[in-house]
Amino acid sequence: GCFQDNRCLPIGIRSGSDYCNLDKTIEPQKGEGAFCDVGYECISNLCANNQCLAPNFWQRILAWFDSIFG
């Protein structure tokens, strides 16, 4: 994993606006349109065809409910 603040973070875990990359480095999450391999690399957590996507309307609603009841 990655070491951050004297902790070992598993690959793919997010910490704030950063994530632990496959090469065991802490990287900032990417915005819409950026190249990605997996969802956790993207701020939206959506990676399709190697591109970070913006969440659509329904995903935003589900995220809102999750923040309330999750």
Side-chain angles (χ1 to χ4, degrees), residues 51-68:
Q51 188 174 25
C52 291
L53 304 177
N56 69 29
F57 176 74
W58 292 111
Q59 289 166 322
R60 288 183 285 190
I61 289 175
L62 291 174
W64 179 76
F65 277 111
D66 189 47
S67 71
I68 293 173

Side-chain angles (χ1 to χ4, degrees), residues 7-29:
R7 299 179 302 163
C8 181
L9 303 175
I11 291 173
I13 197 80
R14 294 177 177 191
S15 178
S17 61
D18 298 328
Y19 68 94
C20 179
N21 202 354
L22 290 172
D23 63 2
K24 299 181 182 179
T25 60
I26 299 293
E27 300 285 335
Q29 287 181 294

Side-chain angles (χ1 to χ4, degrees), residues 30-31 33-37 41-42 47 49-52:
K30 302 170 184 178
F35 177 84
C36 58
D37 288 315
E41 295 178 5
C42 305
C47 178
N49 296 323
N50 296 107
Q51 188 174 25
C52 291

